[in-house]
mmCIF file with all atom_site columns, all heavy atoms in Angstrom:
data_model
loop_
_atom_site.group_PDB
_atom_site.id
_atom_site.type_symbol
_atom_site.label_atom_id
_atom_site.label_alt_id
_atom_site.label_comp_id
_atom_site.label_asym_id
_atom_site.label_entity_id
_atom_site.label_seq_id
_atom_site.pdbx_PDB_ins_code
_atom_site.Cartn_x
_atom_site.Cartn_y
_atom_site.Cartn_z
_atom_site.occupancy
_atom_site.B_iso_or_equiv
_atom_site.pdbx_formal_charge
_atom_site.auth_seq_id
_atom_site.auth_comp_id
_atom_site.auth_asym_id
_atom_site.auth_atom_id
_atom_site.pdbx_PDB_model_num
ATOM 1   N N   . THR K 1 138 ? 121.241 -60.321 32.338 1.00 96.00 ? 156 THR K N   1
ATOM 2   C CA  . THR K 1 138 ? 120.139 -61.302 32.233 1.00 96.00 ? 156 THR K CA  1
ATOM 3   C C   . THR K 1 138 ? 120.239 -62.346 33.334 1.00 96.00 ? 156 THR K C   1
ATOM 4   O O   . THR K 1 138 ? 119.170 -62.776 33.800 1.00 96.00 ? 156 THR K O   1
ATOM 5   C CB  . THR K 1 138 ? 120.252 -62.067 30.822 1.00 96.00 ? 156 THR K CB  1
ATOM 6   O OG1 . THR K 1 138 ? 120.146 -61.021 29.826 1.00 96.00 ? 156 THR K OG1 1
ATOM 7   C CG2 . THR K 1 138 ? 119.125 -62.987 30.674 1.00 96.00 ? 156 THR K CG2 1
ATOM 8   N N   . LYS K 1 139 ? 121.392 -62.689 33.761 1.00 96.00 ? 157 LYS K N   1
ATOM 9   C CA  . LYS K 1 139 ? 121.588 -63.722 34.782 1.00 96.00 ? 157 LYS K CA  1
ATOM 10  C C   . LYS K 1 139 ? 121.566 -63.119 36.252 1.00 96.00 ? 157 LYS K C   1
ATOM 11  O O   . LYS K 1 139 ? 121.841 -63.899 37.145 1.00 96.00 ? 157 LYS K O   1
ATOM 12  C CB  . LYS K 1 139 ? 122.888 -64.547 34.489 1.00 96.00 ? 157 LYS K CB  1
ATOM 13  C CG  . LYS K 1 139 ? 122.913 -65.198 33.110 1.00 96.00 ? 157 LYS K CG  1
ATOM 14  C CD  . LYS K 1 139 ? 121.733 -66.151 32.936 1.00 96.00 ? 157 LYS K CD  1
ATOM 15  C CE  . LYS K 1 139 ? 121.769 -66.822 31.626 1.00 96.00 ? 157 LYS K CE  1
ATOM 16  N NZ  . LYS K 1 139 ? 120.632 -67.770 31.397 1.00 96.00 ? 157 LYS K NZ  1
ATOM 17  N N   . GLY K 1 140 ? 121.472 -61.812 36.281 1.00 96.00 ? 158 GLY K N   1
ATOM 18  C CA  . GLY K 1 140 ? 121.398 -61.265 37.643 1.00 96.00 ? 158 GLY K CA  1
ATOM 19  C C   . GLY K 1 140 ? 122.704 -61.177 38.365 1.00 96.00 ? 158 GLY K C   1
ATOM 20  O O   . GLY K 1 140 ? 122.790 -61.141 39.597 1.00 96.00 ? 158 GLY K O   1
ATOM 21  N N   . CYS K 1 141 ? 123.797 -61.107 37.638 1.00 97.00 ? 159 CYS K N   1
ATOM 22  C CA  . CYS K 1 141 ? 125.129 -61.074 38.144 1.00 97.00 ? 159 CYS K CA  1
ATOM 23  C C   . CYS K 1 141 ? 125.483 -59.632 38.649 1.00 97.00 ? 159 CYS K C   1
ATOM 24  O O   . CYS K 1 141 ? 124.894 -58.587 38.202 1.00 97.00 ? 159 CYS K O   1
ATOM 25  C CB  . CYS K 1 141 ? 126.177 -61.499 37.242 1.00 97.00 ? 159 CYS K CB  1
ATOM 26  S SG  . CYS K 1 141 ? 125.963 -63.192 36.527 1.00 97.00 ? 159 CYS K SG  1
ATOM 27  N N   . ASP K 1 142 ? 126.362 -59.592 39.680 1.00 95.00 ? 160 ASP K N   1
ATOM 28  C CA  . ASP K 1 142 ? 126.779 -58.348 40.266 1.00 95.00 ? 160 ASP K CA  1
ATOM 29  C C   . ASP K 1 142 ? 128.291 -57.906 39.868 1.00 95.00 ? 160 ASP K C   1
ATOM 30  O O   . ASP K 1 142 ? 128.432 -56.700 39.864 1.00 95.00 ? 160 ASP K O   1
ATOM 31  C CB  . ASP K 1 142 ? 126.815 -58.484 41.817 1.00 95.00 ? 160 ASP K CB  1
ATOM 32  C CG  . ASP K 1 142 ? 125.565 -58.939 42.356 1.00 95.00 ? 160 ASP K CG  1
ATOM 33  O OD1 . ASP K 1 142 ? 124.460 -58.318 41.911 1.00 95.00 ? 160 ASP K OD1 1
ATOM 34  O OD2 . ASP K 1 142 ? 125.468 -59.807 43.198 1.00 95.00 ? 160 ASP K OD2 1
ATOM 35  N N   . GLN K 1 143 ? 129.040 -58.895 39.452 1.00 96.00 ? 161 GLN K N   1
ATOM 36  C CA  . GLN K 1 143 ? 130.382 -58.528 39.105 1.00 96.00 ? 161 GLN K CA  1
ATOM 37  C C   . GLN K 1 143 ? 130.694 -59.336 37.826 1.00 96.00 ? 161 GLN K C   1
ATOM 38  O O   . GLN K 1 143 ? 130.262 -60.473 37.482 1.00 96.00 ? 161 GLN K O   1
ATOM 39  C CB  . GLN K 1 143 ? 131.360 -59.134 40.216 1.00 96.00 ? 161 GLN K CB  1
ATOM 40  C CG  . GLN K 1 143 ? 131.175 -58.337 41.580 1.00 96.00 ? 161 GLN K CG  1
ATOM 41  C CD  . GLN K 1 143 ? 132.100 -57.064 41.552 1.00 96.00 ? 161 GLN K CD  1
ATOM 42  O OE1 . GLN K 1 143 ? 132.998 -56.922 40.874 1.00 96.00 ? 161 GLN K OE1 1
ATOM 43  N NE2 . GLN K 1 143 ? 131.641 -56.171 42.512 1.00 96.00 ? 161 GLN K NE2 1
ATOM 44  N N   . ILE K 1 144 ? 131.690 -58.760 37.025 1.00 97.00 ? 162 ILE K N   1
ATOM 45  C CA  . ILE K 1 144 ? 132.298 -59.446 35.868 1.00 97.00 ? 162 ILE K CA  1
ATOM 46  C C   . ILE K 1 144 ? 133.885 -59.535 36.158 1.00 97.00 ? 162 ILE K C   1
ATOM 47  O O   . ILE K 1 144 ? 134.443 -58.565 36.610 1.00 97.00 ? 162 ILE K O   1
ATOM 48  C CB  . ILE K 1 144 ? 132.137 -58.685 34.650 1.00 97.00 ? 162 ILE K CB  1
ATOM 49  C CG1 . ILE K 1 144 ? 130.660 -58.510 34.331 1.00 97.00 ? 162 ILE K CG1 1
ATOM 50  C CG2 . ILE K 1 144 ? 132.766 -59.408 33.423 1.00 97.00 ? 162 ILE K CG2 1
ATOM 51  C CD1 . ILE K 1 144 ? 130.343 -57.627 33.025 1.00 97.00 ? 162 ILE K CD1 1
ATOM 52  N N   . TRP K 1 145 ? 134.324 -60.695 35.945 1.00 97.00 ? 163 TRP K N   1
ATOM 53  C CA  . TRP K 1 145 ? 135.809 -60.915 36.145 1.00 97.00 ? 163 TRP K CA  1
ATOM 54  C C   . TRP K 1 145 ? 136.407 -61.733 35.074 1.00 97.00 ? 163 TRP K C   1
ATOM 55  O O   . TRP K 1 145 ? 135.785 -62.395 34.307 1.00 97.00 ? 163 TRP K O   1
ATOM 56  C CB  . TRP K 1 145 ? 136.115 -61.605 37.498 1.00 97.00 ? 163 TRP K CB  1
ATOM 57  C CG  . TRP K 1 145 ? 135.800 -63.032 37.614 1.00 97.00 ? 163 TRP K CG  1
ATOM 58  C CD1 . TRP K 1 145 ? 134.580 -63.595 37.919 1.00 97.00 ? 163 TRP K CD1 1
ATOM 59  C CD2 . TRP K 1 145 ? 136.678 -64.167 37.365 1.00 97.00 ? 163 TRP K CD2 1
ATOM 60  N NE1 . TRP K 1 145 ? 134.674 -64.935 37.897 1.00 97.00 ? 163 TRP K NE1 1
ATOM 61  C CE2 . TRP K 1 145 ? 135.854 -65.261 37.606 1.00 97.00 ? 163 TRP K CE2 1
ATOM 62  C CE3 . TRP K 1 145 ? 138.029 -64.206 36.934 1.00 97.00 ? 163 TRP K CE3 1
ATOM 63  C CZ2 . TRP K 1 145 ? 136.457 -66.547 37.319 1.00 97.00 ? 163 TRP K CZ2 1
ATOM 64  C CZ3 . TRP K 1 145 ? 138.602 -65.466 36.868 1.00 97.00 ? 163 TRP K CZ3 1
ATOM 65  C CH2 . TRP K 1 145 ? 137.793 -66.677 37.131 1.00 97.00 ? 163 TRP K CH2 1
ATOM 66  N N   . LEU K 1 146 ? 137.712 -61.635 34.986 1.00 97.00 ? 164 LEU K N   1
ATOM 67  C CA  . LEU K 1 146 ? 138.510 -62.371 33.927 1.00 97.00 ? 164 LEU K CA  1
ATOM 68  C C   . LEU K 1 146 ? 139.971 -62.560 34.419 1.00 97.00 ? 164 LEU K C   1
ATOM 69  O O   . LEU K 1 146 ? 140.399 -61.884 35.198 1.00 97.00 ? 164 LEU K O   1
ATOM 70  C CB  . LEU K 1 146 ? 138.394 -61.573 32.581 1.00 97.00 ? 164 LEU K CB  1
ATOM 71  C CG  . LEU K 1 146 ? 138.842 -60.109 32.601 1.00 97.00 ? 164 LEU K CG  1
ATOM 72  C CD1 . LEU K 1 146 ? 140.252 -59.911 32.454 1.00 97.00 ? 164 LEU K CD1 1
ATOM 73  C CD2 . LEU K 1 146 ? 137.948 -59.282 31.672 1.00 97.00 ? 164 LEU K CD2 1
ATOM 74  N N   . GLY K 1 147 ? 140.597 -63.399 33.644 1.00 96.00 ? 165 GLY K N   1
ATOM 75  C CA  . GLY K 1 147 ? 142.103 -63.562 33.871 1.00 96.00 ? 165 GLY K CA  1
ATOM 76  C C   . GLY K 1 147 ? 142.779 -63.138 32.597 1.00 96.00 ? 165 GLY K C   1
ATOM 77  O O   . GLY K 1 147 ? 142.350 -63.421 31.435 1.00 96.00 ? 165 GLY K O   1
ATOM 78  N N   . VAL K 1 148 ? 143.869 -62.385 32.707 1.00 95.00 ? 166 VAL K N   1
ATOM 79  C CA  . VAL K 1 148 ? 144.668 -62.010 31.594 1.00 95.00 ? 166 VAL K CA  1
ATOM 80  C C   . VAL K 1 148 ? 146.167 -62.199 31.899 1.00 95.00 ? 166 VAL K C   1
ATOM 81  O O   . VAL K 1 148 ? 146.661 -61.885 33.016 1.00 95.00 ? 166 VAL K O   1
ATOM 82  C CB  . VAL K 1 148 ? 144.346 -60.411 31.219 1.00 95.00 ? 166 VAL K CB  1
ATOM 83  C CG1 . VAL K 1 148 ? 144.594 -59.595 32.376 1.00 95.00 ? 166 VAL K CG1 1
ATOM 84  C CG2 . VAL K 1 148 ? 145.095 -60.037 30.013 1.00 95.00 ? 166 VAL K CG2 1
ATOM 85  N N   . TRP K 1 149 ? 146.866 -62.650 30.917 1.00 93.00 ? 167 TRP K N   1
ATOM 86  C CA  . TRP K 1 149 ? 148.377 -62.875 31.067 1.00 93.00 ? 167 TRP K CA  1
ATOM 87  C C   . TRP K 1 149 ? 149.056 -61.535 31.442 1.00 93.00 ? 167 TRP K C   1
ATOM 88  O O   . TRP K 1 149 ? 148.867 -60.614 30.841 1.00 93.00 ? 167 TRP K O   1
ATOM 89  C CB  . TRP K 1 149 ? 148.866 -63.468 29.829 1.00 93.00 ? 167 TRP K CB  1
ATOM 90  C CG  . TRP K 1 149 ? 150.296 -63.955 29.859 1.00 93.00 ? 167 TRP K CG  1
ATOM 91  C CD1 . TRP K 1 149 ? 150.976 -64.438 30.965 1.00 93.00 ? 167 TRP K CD1 1
ATOM 92  C CD2 . TRP K 1 149 ? 151.272 -64.034 28.864 1.00 93.00 ? 167 TRP K CD2 1
ATOM 93  N NE1 . TRP K 1 149 ? 152.200 -64.782 30.700 1.00 93.00 ? 167 TRP K NE1 1
ATOM 94  C CE2 . TRP K 1 149 ? 152.513 -64.542 29.393 1.00 93.00 ? 167 TRP K CE2 1
ATOM 95  C CE3 . TRP K 1 149 ? 151.221 -63.753 27.490 1.00 93.00 ? 167 TRP K CE3 1
ATOM 96  C CZ2 . TRP K 1 149 ? 153.604 -64.837 28.598 1.00 93.00 ? 167 TRP K CZ2 1
ATOM 97  C CZ3 . TRP K 1 149 ? 152.249 -64.073 26.688 1.00 93.00 ? 167 TRP K CZ3 1
ATOM 98  C CH2 . TRP K 1 149 ? 153.512 -64.488 27.267 1.00 93.00 ? 167 TRP K CH2 1
ATOM 99  N N   . GLU K 1 150 ? 149.959 -61.641 32.401 1.00 93.00 ? 168 GLU K N   1
ATOM 100 C CA  . GLU K 1 150 ? 150.665 -60.391 32.991 1.00 93.00 ? 168 GLU K CA  1
ATOM 101 C C   . GLU K 1 150 ? 151.398 -59.747 31.860 1.00 93.00 ? 168 GLU K C   1
ATOM 102 O O   . GLU K 1 150 ? 151.756 -58.516 31.961 1.00 93.00 ? 168 GLU K O   1
ATOM 103 C CB  . GLU K 1 150 ? 151.519 -60.788 34.043 1.00 93.00 ? 168 GLU K CB  1
ATOM 104 C CG  . GLU K 1 150 ? 152.615 -61.743 33.704 1.00 93.00 ? 168 GLU K CG  1
ATOM 105 C CD  . GLU K 1 150 ? 153.562 -61.986 34.925 1.00 93.00 ? 168 GLU K CD  1
ATOM 106 O OE1 . GLU K 1 150 ? 153.533 -61.270 35.955 1.00 93.00 ? 168 GLU K OE1 1
ATOM 107 O OE2 . GLU K 1 150 ? 154.394 -62.931 34.769 1.00 93.00 ? 168 GLU K OE2 1
ATOM 108 N N   . LYS K 1 151 ? 151.868 -60.473 30.769 1.00 91.00 ? 169 LYS K N   1
ATOM 109 C CA  . LYS K 1 151 ? 152.632 -59.880 29.740 1.00 91.00 ? 169 LYS K CA  1
ATOM 110 C C   . LYS K 1 151 ? 151.761 -59.315 28.525 1.00 91.00 ? 169 LYS K C   1
ATOM 111 O O   . LYS K 1 151 ? 152.356 -58.783 27.623 1.00 91.00 ? 169 LYS K O   1
ATOM 112 C CB  . LYS K 1 151 ? 153.646 -60.831 29.159 1.00 91.00 ? 169 LYS K CB  1
ATOM 113 C CG  . LYS K 1 151 ? 154.800 -61.241 30.180 1.00 91.00 ? 169 LYS K CG  1
ATOM 114 C CD  . LYS K 1 151 ? 155.771 -62.216 29.599 1.00 91.00 ? 169 LYS K CD  1
ATOM 115 C CE  . LYS K 1 151 ? 156.755 -62.640 30.659 1.00 91.00 ? 169 LYS K CE  1
ATOM 116 N NZ  . LYS K 1 151 ? 157.748 -63.547 30.046 1.00 91.00 ? 169 LYS K NZ  1
ATOM 117 N N   . ASN K 1 152 ? 150.434 -59.507 28.658 1.00 91.00 ? 170 ASN K N   1
ATOM 118 C CA  . ASN K 1 152 ? 149.642 -59.070 27.503 1.00 91.00 ? 170 ASN K CA  1
ATOM 119 C C   . ASN K 1 152 ? 149.169 -57.622 27.881 1.00 91.00 ? 170 ASN K C   1
ATOM 120 O O   . ASN K 1 152 ? 148.054 -57.306 28.243 1.00 91.00 ? 170 ASN K O   1
ATOM 121 C CB  . ASN K 1 152 ? 148.373 -60.035 27.390 1.00 91.00 ? 170 ASN K CB  1
ATOM 122 C CG  . ASN K 1 152 ? 147.605 -59.761 26.169 1.00 91.00 ? 170 ASN K CG  1
ATOM 123 O OD1 . ASN K 1 152 ? 147.755 -58.729 25.512 1.00 91.00 ? 170 ASN K OD1 1
ATOM 124 N ND2 . ASN K 1 152 ? 146.827 -60.816 25.789 1.00 91.00 ? 170 ASN K ND2 1
#
Side-chain angles (χ1 to χ4, degrees):
T156 301
K157 302 301 179 182
C159 297
D160 303 314
Q161 296 275 336
I162 300 177
W163 72 274
L164 51 88
V166 56
W167 189 28
E168 64 176 345
K169 295 183 180 180
N170 195 340

